[in-house]
Amino acid sequence: MEKILEVEDLHVTFTTYGGTVQAVRGVSFDLHKGETLAIVGESGCGKSVTSNAIMRLIPSPPGKITKGSVKFKGKDLTKVSEKKMRSIRGVDISMVFQDPMTALNPTLTIGTQLTEGIKEHQNLSNSEAEKKALQMLELVGIPNPDERMKQYPHQFSGGMRQRIVIAIALICQPELLIADEPTTALDVTIQAQILELFDEIQQATGVSIILITHDLGVVAKVADRIAVMYAGKIIETGTKRDIFYKTEHPYTKGLLSSVPRLDQRGSELTSIEGTPPDLFAPPEGCPFAARCEFAMVVCNKMYPDETSLSDEHRVHCWLQDERAKKLQAASSK
Ligand code: SF4
């Protein structure tokens, strides 16, 4: 399948009075046409900074992409001018943010907000833009689109507002949609509807999706592949099956075991002891070492290389590295 996005060794820092935060530290992944990749991890792991870096939305200063490349259809977005980037955002790559209320302008009708982007980018007449907006509202499941176009955001429920935000993101038919925690601000039943909507939209339009989330339930529903992030690095990637059923990294195992289960009512929730490392001065070795029950001497000294467990399943953990396995075996003799 054709690769639409290739992120290679991406580094992003934020310079503050207290020092430099190394928010993203060598992230690499790719995304194929029509595929959904979920990037998961706890707050502060760098997943939203990664998606903002793809869109070149890192505020500078204090933020800076210090190294690496983000190739969209072969073109390195870290090297294009801001003017060129403005013509890519919303047209080739669109973004859906967490809170639909802050993403919409409360003083403008839905119709105006839907049509302003397409009029600017595709040079359409008012009636052509309106026709397109009506089609998009139908695609995202808004009933009576003719009437709804004249209404303001406060006249819609939270779920409906998120559908409208998705319609705005899709109206210029982008090839890549980045959804940053798109269901976090919604209640559970609406979350399920929005996730189904992503699925339907992908089948109807063939758009590639990057889904940023901390919610493994969301991931289980919609992702084709999953990248797990920790302390600014991707520590495990694989298909949904690899990550849920052949989990190898101790952090991913911890994340999965901390998901509440309906079949284990009454038992205590599991949590990962400890806290993530300070990204002002990240450790040289594995950033999970201080919380890992399997940590070895080498874990604190060197960051583990990537080990390929299959075509898609890759992990950064010394437990999977043949060199560490041999050392362990030798020291236990
Ligand atoms: Fe644990 Fe070592 Fe693997 Fe890190 S590299 S997750 S510390 S075993």
Side-chain angles (χ1 to χ4, degrees):
M1 230 190 300
E2 183 192 335
K3 277 185 192 170
I4 192 158
L5 185 77
E6 292 161 89
V7 177
E8 189 65 47
D9 198 26
L10 184 68
H11 286 70
V12 182
T13 60
F14 291 88
T15 303
T16 70
Y17 288 119
T20 299
V21 182
Q22 296 176 41
V24 172
R25 307 187 295 135
V27 160
S28 301
F29 65 88
D30 47 34
L31 178 71
H32 297 100
K33 208 170 165 43
E35 181 188 40
T36 300
L37 172 76
I39 302 182
V40 295
E42 59 199 334
S43 297
C45 70
K47 52 193 193 303
S48 291
V49 176
T50 301
S51 65
N52 287 340
I54 294 169
M55 291 289 268
R56 284 262 306 272
L57 289 174
I58 300 288
S60 176
K64 196 174 178 194
I65 297 175
T66 51
K67 198 176 163 197
S69 61
V70 175
K71 286 189 185 150
F72 174 69
K73 296 193 344 188
K75 186 182 276 291
D76 187 354
L77 299 183
T78 63
K79 302 223 162 32
V80 303
S81 66
E82 183 47 38
K83 190 174 169 216
K84 176 74 186 158
M85 216 39 231
R86 272 202 296 274
S87 71
I88 291 172
R89 281 188 215 114
V91 180
D92 298 301
I93 309 177
S94 269
M95 213 162 171
V96 173
F97 294 97
Q98 186 180 121
D99 185 355
M101 203 50 204
T102 50
L104 292 169
N105 184 332
T107 67
L108 297 176
T109 63
I110 294 308
T112 306
Q113 296 187 59
L114 267 163
T115 53
E116 63 182 359
I118 197 162
K119 279 199 277 192
E120 186 186 326
H121 291 297
Q122 294 188 351
N123 216 6
L124 297 185
S125 66
N126 283 346
S127 64
E128 284 170 328
E130 247 175 57
K131 199 171 150 203
K132 189 96 189 157
L134 285 170
Q135 283 171 356
M136 288 317 300
L137 287 182
E138 270 173 27
L139 179 73
V140 299
I142 302 282
N144 303 324
D146 282 301
E147 281 303 306
R148 296 301 232 168
M149 288 266 285
K150 299 172 202 133
Q151 296 182 330
Y152 291 86
H154 73 271
Q155 293 171 285
F156 292 79
S157 66
M160 286 289 181
R161 284 196 289 261
Q162 192 60 307
R163 284 173 189 267
I164 291 161
V165 171
I166 294 169
I168 293 171
L170 290 171
I171 198 159
C172 291
Q173 294 172 304
E175 291 184 68
L176 170 59
L177 181 69
I178 301 174
D180 190 357
E181 305 271 10
T183 58
T184 305
L186 305 174
D187 67 49
V188 181
T189 49
I190 307 297
Q191 275 186 14
Q193 291 172 13
I194 296 293
L195 292 176
E196 265 167 39
L197 178 63
F198 274 113
D199 223 23
E200 287 163 19
I201 285 168
Q202 191 168 53
Q203 284 179 23
T205 63
V207 67
S208 308
I209 300 176
I210 294 179
L211 183 67
I212 308 288
T213 182
H214 64 274
D215 185 338
L216 284 159
V218 167
V219 166
K221 265 197 166 56
V222 295
D224 296 309
R225 276 190 305 132
I226 299 169
V228 183
M229 275 192 84
Y230 186 77
K233 288 178 178 287
I234 289 180
I235 47 100
E236 186 166 10
T237 47
T239 61
K240 195 159 60 178
R241 198 169 181 77
D242 292 332
I243 299 297
F244 281 95
Y245 299 108
K246 296 179 187 166
T247 328
E248 288 300 349
H249 198 285
Y251 174 66
T252 316
K253 286 182 184 170
L255 267 189
L256 286 169
S257 62
S258 58
V259 176
R261 289 182 52 173
L262 284 175
D263 60 341
Q264 290 177 1
R265 276 168 193 262
S267 57
E268 265 191 41
L269 283 178
T270 321
S271 63
I272 306 173
E273 295 289 320
T275 51
D278 179 4
L279 292 184
F280 279 108
E284 265 181 43
C286 170
F288 191 58
R291 303 169 84 182
C292 180
E293 59 180 300
F294 307 104
M296 301 168 274
V297 176
V298 67
C299 301
N300 286 303
K301 295 198 182 310
M302 272 174 76
Y303 185 68
D305 288 340
E306 181 180 273
T307 306
S308 288
L309 304 169
S310 69
D311 280 355
E312 301 283 5
H313 195 184
R314 286 169 220 139
V315 65
H316 287 266
C317 174
W318 282 112
L319 289 175
Q320 302 304 322
D321 192 301
E322 289 304 323
R323 292 167 297 173
K325 282 182 188 171
K326 279 180 197 153
L327 270 178
Q328 277 294 94
S331 62
S332 60
K333 272 178 192 167

